């Protein structure tokens, strides 16, 4: 049955959305920054992995071993050079600086790689298209399952890391109240930089999966930012797991929409975003702070 | 007005009175533009006027209202689309171009009650999602023919010279009306309210500022202004491709102009529009590097000169050509200005 298959594919697509949303949600939860360059950084990572994979004919997974630490370092640098400084001049400045960064990154990628679409799919062999047939017309792609598994592992790992490790505790404390955290000996600048490094490292992983499951070009970034944001807001239950649920709702809605009309994929996704938003406004009454408390509290 | 002992609260200064007089004279001079400028300059100036509108609107929203939106291209695109729809319904072309922004303004009222409950970055991307959705929905309209687009055919009934002059006058009139509206609004009670909300929404509400109504006013004004810019762009280009009009590039331009000129200053965005116009004229042909440069400028200005060029000048010299704030003047000697 086509509908059952579409729903299953939508759930797996949701795994990808959760993966791409992970870093955005983490950065917002800790640094209170919505990084508008999020999608562009994911695409940048995909290009870096593609460069390594293409030039030395290595597996993208192997390339990730080099790219994840590199992007983590970039995240550290991003926090120290751009985000820290913009946060000092007000809550709105990070939006402007990260938007400028996104415009710059997208066009630099275009300058370097041109308008051709790329994909990492040729570099992963059979994994790109192998699938199992479950029955009832439902198939499960191996890559889709892997993506979903990685999303689960990353979300779970981050949750554990925040709950159980000293750095995780320091991050939660700093996110709650940086000044008080300083009083008990936490170096909030270092903690923020570490959090940014972790966030951007997850973006590198997400970007690689973007490259393996689909094609990308220099201007793919903004769409990824929007999907990630929608997943977070739809999920909005105040934890990283909410992001997973949000991603799944978004993925299922898009796949069902695409069954109605070829243009229905994106329209249904955006529509479900606005419907959830409206429902939450109605349910939460007039206090706007409780509405997006979910997003503000994520991932803690 | 008088303040405490030894202090005079002023709005106007000899400098700003002089500047406003010069501005009036300039407007009169500009009004006769098509008679002495020639076709090329008339077209270029029309573009500059549209940029001034966009920068002023984004600044009103973000610089004074504290509402950073990455989705103003929604109104830009809807303005052009509404003009095409109205013209198709039988309205005279220029009447359609004038009414379209007002129609978009009407649409933005229900949207505002929704969007304005989003805070900070949520509002910024939420508006972007709205722009994407608006783009997709406009594509569904058979009249637009998807990304192929359509044209405001009724405009071809005008001779090129007539159309050029009409576009110019329309742009000049719309720019004057919108900038004057922002000016008067900021000088009124609303201006103080909106800036109080920008600085601290809860505190503003606690002293009796009507938060939602005030934000709604500025949101709708910015929507109308961006829609007018879209409709005017349609008047100059005639063709309408949804992809072009709903591109986030328009908002990137607005952000660039406002940041470079001076976010939250009245004169800044006008200066930013002139700078952007000059950069575009000289470097627009260099393609991607030009866009890289715009992004880099936005990044650097937001980091190192968040009040832009005009803001830096104002802080240094205390000048205000178009005063929307007040100045404290100490009686014994000419003191520093505060706005």
């Amino acid at each position: 049955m086509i509908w059952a298959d579409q729903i299953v594919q939508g759930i797996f697509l949701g795994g990808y959305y959760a993966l791409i949303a992970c870093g955005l949600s983490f950065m917002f939860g800790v640094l209170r920054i919505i990084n508008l360059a999020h999608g562009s950084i994911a695409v940048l990572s995909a290009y870096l992995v593609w460069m390594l994979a293409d030039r030395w004919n290595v597996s993208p997974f192997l390339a990730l071993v080099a790219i994840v630490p590199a992007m983590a370092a970039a995240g550290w640098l991003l926090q120290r050079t751009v985000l820290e400084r913009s946060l000092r001049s007000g809550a709105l400045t990070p939006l402007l600086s990260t938007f400028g960064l996104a415009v710059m990154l997208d066009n630099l990628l275009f300058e370097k790689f041109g308008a051709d679409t790329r994909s990492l799919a040729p570099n992963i062999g059979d994994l790109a298209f192998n699938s199992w047939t479950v029955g009832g017309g439902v198939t499960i792609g191996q890559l889709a399952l892997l993506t979903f598994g990685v999303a689960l592992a990353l979300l779970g790992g981050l949750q554990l890391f925040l709950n159980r490790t000293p750095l995780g505790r320091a991050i939660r404390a700093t996110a709650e109240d940086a000044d008080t955290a300083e009083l008990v000996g936490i170096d909030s600048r270092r903690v923020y930089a570490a959090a940014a490094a972790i966030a951007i490292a997850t973006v590198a992983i997400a970007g690689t999966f973007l490259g393996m499951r689909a094609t990308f070009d220099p201007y793919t970034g903004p769409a990824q930012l929007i999907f990630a944001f929608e997943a977070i807001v739809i999920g909005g239950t105040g934890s990283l797991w909410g992001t997973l649920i949000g991603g799944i709702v978004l993925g299922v809605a898009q796949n069902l929409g695409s069954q109605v009309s070829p243009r229905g994929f994106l329209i249904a996704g955006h529509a479900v975003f606005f419907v959830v938003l409206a429902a939450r406004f109605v349910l939460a009454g007039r206090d706007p702070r409780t509405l997006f408390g979910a997003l503000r509290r994520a991932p803690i | 007005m008088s303040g405490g002992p030894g202090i005079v609260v002023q709005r106007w200064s000899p400098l700003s009175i002089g500047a406003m007089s010069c501005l009036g004279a300039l407007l009169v001079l500009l009004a006769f533009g098509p008679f002495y400028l020639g076709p090329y300059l008339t077209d270029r100036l029309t573009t500059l006027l549209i940029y001034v509108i966009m920068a002023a609107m984004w600044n009103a929203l973000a610089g004074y209202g504290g509402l950073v939106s990455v989705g103003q291209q929604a109104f830009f695109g809807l303005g052009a689309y509404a003009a095409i729809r109205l013209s198709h319904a039988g309205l005279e072309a220029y009447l359609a171009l004038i009414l379209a922004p007002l129609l978009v303004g009407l649409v933005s009222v229900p949207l505002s009650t929704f969007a304005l409950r989003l805070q900070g970055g949520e509002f910024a991307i939420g508006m972007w999602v709205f722009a994407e959705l608006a783009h997709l929905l406009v594509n569904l309209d058979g009249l637009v023919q998807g990304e192929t687009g359509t044209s405001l055919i009724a405009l071809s009934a005008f001779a090129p010279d007539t159309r050029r002059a009409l576009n110019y006058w329309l742009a000049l009139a719309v720019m004057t009306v919108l900038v004057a509206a922002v000016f008067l609004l900021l000088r009124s009670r609303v201006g103080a309210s909106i800036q109080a909300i920008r600085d601290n929404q809860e505190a503003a509400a606690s002293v009796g500022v009507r938060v939602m109504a005030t934000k709604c006013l500025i949101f709708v004004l910015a929507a109308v202004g961006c829609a007018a810019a879209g409709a005017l762009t349609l008047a100059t280009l005639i063709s309408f491709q949804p992809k072009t009009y709903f591109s986030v590039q328009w908002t990137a331009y607005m952000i660039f102009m406002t940041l470079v000129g001076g976010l939250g200053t009245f004169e800044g965005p006008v200066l930013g529009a002139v700078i952007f116009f000059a950069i575009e004229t000289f470097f627009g042909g260099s393609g991607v590097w030009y866009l890289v440069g715009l992004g880099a400028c936005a990044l650097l200005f937001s980091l190192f000169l968040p009040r832009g060029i005009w803001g830096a000048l104002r802080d240094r010299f205390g000048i205000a050509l178009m005063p929307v704030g007040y100045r404290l003047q100490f009686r014994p000697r000419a003191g520093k200005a505060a706005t």
Side-chain angles (χ1 to χ4, degrees):
Chain A
M1 193 185 146
I2 188 84
W3 291 99
D5 190 47
Q6 286 303 323
I7 290 174
V8 171
Q9 303 313 322
I11 293 173
F12 282 110
L13 181 58
Y16 166 69
Y17 290 147
L19 191 58
I20 189 92
C22 189
L24 188 69
S25 165
F26 189 80
M27 193 172 257
F28 190 79
V30 178
L31 298 164
R32 302 290 187 268
I33 286 176
I34 289 192
N35 175 15
L36 293 180
H38 180 81
S40 308
I41 294 173
V43 173
L44 168 70
S45 314
Y47 270 108
L48 292 177
V49 170
W50 176 82
M51 260 170 70
L52 288 185
D54 198 56
R55 189 158 305 166
W56 286 296
N57 203 22
V58 295
S59 150
F61 298 104
L62 201 64
L64 260 183
V65 176
I67 298 301
V68 165
M71 291 309 287
W76 183 286
L77 211 66
L78 178 71
Q79 165 66 18
R80 279 296 168 90
T81 53
V82 174
L83 302 181
E84 194 179 281
R85 202 184 171 91
S86 23
L87 264 179
R88 274 204 299 267
S89 38
L92 295 177
T93 314
L95 290 172
L96 304 174
S97 58
T98 55
F99 184 73
L101 183 66
V103 172
M104 210 172 93
L105 271 183
D106 290 351
N107 290 296
L108 278 175
L109 286 174
F110 184 84
E111 180 61 35
K112 171 93 178 113
F113 296 103
D116 296 345
T117 56
R118 314 272 183 200
S119 176
L120 291 168
N123 303 82
I124 53 172
D126 295 348
L127 181 62
F129 46 81
N130 270 7
S131 63
W132 297 288
T133 306
V134 195
V138 177
T139 58
I140 295 177
Q142 291 184 359
L143 180 63
L145 188 66
L146 179 68
T147 310
F148 199 86
V150 169
L152 279 184
L154 205 59
L155 291 168
L158 273 180
Q159 198 82 57
L160 272 179
F161 163 77
L162 283 172
N163 288 343
R164 299 290 163 83
T165 63
L167 180 57
R169 265 197 298 280
I171 287 177
R172 279 187 294 146
T174 312
E176 199 69 41
D177 186 340
D179 293 335
T180 312
E182 290 267 354
L183 289 179
V184 294
I186 290 172
D187 181 351
S188 63
R189 283 188 70 208
R190 284 183 63 121
V191 168
Y192 278 144
I198 292 167
I200 301 300
T202 71
V203 179
I205 297 171
T208 308
F209 276 89
L210 163 72
M212 289 193 289
R213 58 174 294 280
T215 58
F216 57 93
D217 67 55
Y219 299 112
T220 309
Q224 308 309 308
L225 167 72
I226 286 176
F227 293 148
F229 175 72
E230 288 179 334
I232 296 173
V233 172
I234 293 171
T237 56
S239 77
L240 284 170
W241 299 115
T243 304
L244 180 66
I245 294 166
I248 289 173
V249 171
L250 179 64
V252 170
Q254 288 179 335
N255 269 9
L256 293 182
S258 71
Q259 286 302 301
V260 179
S261 131
R263 295 188 185 121
F265 183 82
L266 290 171
I267 294 179
H270 297 324
V272 93
F273 166 81
F274 280 112
V275 167
V276 169
L277 216 55
R280 206 168 296 154
F281 284 144
V282 173
L283 292 177
R286 298 191 61 85
D287 183 7
R289 269 172 309 178
T290 58
L291 302 173
F292 285 86
L295 182 56
R296 199 157 295 120
R297 271 200 311 276
I300 296 138
Chain B
M1 258 179 140
S2 68
I7 299 172
V8 190
V9 182
Q10 303 184 317
R11 181 152 248 173
W12 293 99
S13 67
L15 177 67
S16 62
I17 293 169
M20 290 296 270
S21 318
C22 288
L23 187 72
L26 180 67
L27 278 177
V28 173
L29 206 62
L30 280 176
F32 293 98
F35 297 117
Y36 57 80
L37 282 172
Y40 174 75
L41 277 179
T42 309
D43 272 342
R44 293 302 292 152
L45 263 183
T46 308
T47 306
L48 175 60
L49 291 167
I50 296 172
Y51 289 159
V52 172
I53 294 172
M54 296 200 302
M57 289 304 116
W58 202 82
N59 182 50
L61 195 62
Y64 287 103
L67 296 161
V68 171
S69 160
V70 196
Q72 292 307 101
Q73 69 271 22
F75 304 118
F76 189 87
L78 285 176
Y81 169 68
I84 285 187
R85 263 279 155 212
L86 287 174
S87 162
H88 186 74
L91 227 61
E92 200 278 324
Y94 277 94
L95 197 59
L97 288 168
I98 293 168
L99 286 181
L102 300 175
L103 200 64
V104 175
L106 275 181
V107 173
S108 75
V109 174
L111 175 71
S112 77
T113 61
F114 193 80
L116 291 174
R117 299 176 78 167
L118 299 171
Q119 307 278 317
E122 298 150 4
F123 174 78
I125 314 191
M127 287 303 297
W128 199 348
V129 177
F130 172 71
E132 293 289 307
L133 187 61
H135 177 191
L136 291 165
L137 293 179
V138 164
N139 273 0
L140 288 181
D141 186 342
L143 181 64
V144 175
Q145 306 171 65
E147 291 300 354
T148 317
T150 180
S151 314
L152 192 54
I153 307 151
L155 277 181
S156 44
F158 294 86
D161 279 336
T162 317
R163 203 178 68 225
R164 185 176 295 116
L166 285 176
N167 287 350
Y168 175 88
W169 279 319
L170 186 58
L172 184 65
V174 170
M175 188 279 287
T176 310
V177 167
L178 284 171
V179 171
V182 176
F183 183 68
L184 294 174
L185 205 62
L186 287 175
R187 287 167 61 94
S188 73
R189 196 183 166 82
V190 176
S193 304
I194 192 72
Q195 291 177 71
I197 295 169
R198 172 194 66 194
D199 295 336
N200 190 333
Q201 187 165 317
E202 282 79 17
S206 76
V207 292
V209 171
R210 293 173 59 210
V211 172
M212 275 312 257
T214 313
K215 279 166 104 174
C216 179
L217 189 63
I218 211 95
F219 182 86
V220 171
L221 176 70
V224 171
C226 289
L232 285 165
T233 304
L234 176 68
T236 58
L237 298 179
I238 299 183
S239 68
F240 175 78
Q241 276 105 13
K243 212 178 191 134
T244 313
Y245 282 81
F246 284 98
S247 165
V248 71
Q249 212 97 73
W250 297 110
T251 298
Y253 293 163
M254 295 181 211
I255 293 182
F256 173 86
M257 292 187 278
T258 313
L259 268 178
V260 168
L263 182 67
T265 67
F266 191 84
E267 301 86 341
V270 181
L271 178 67
V274 173
I275 292 172
F276 175 66
F277 177 75
I279 292 176
E280 193 205 30
T281 306
F282 292 114
F283 299 103
S286 59
V288 175
W289 280 113
Y290 153 74
L291 295 169
V292 172
L294 291 189
C297 281
L299 176 62
L300 291 174
F301 269 90
S302 69
L303 288 179
F304 299 105
L305 212 58
R307 292 271 159 245
I309 294 172
W310 189 263
L313 289 175
R314 186 189 64 181
D315 292 348
R316 190 158 167 76
F317 302 109
I319 40 176
L321 299 184
M322 300 178 72
V324 291
Y326 292 96
R327 301 158 58 91
L328 285 184
Q329 202 82 38
F330 295 97
R331 270 211 188 93
R333 53 198 161 83
K336 274 267 176 192
T339 46

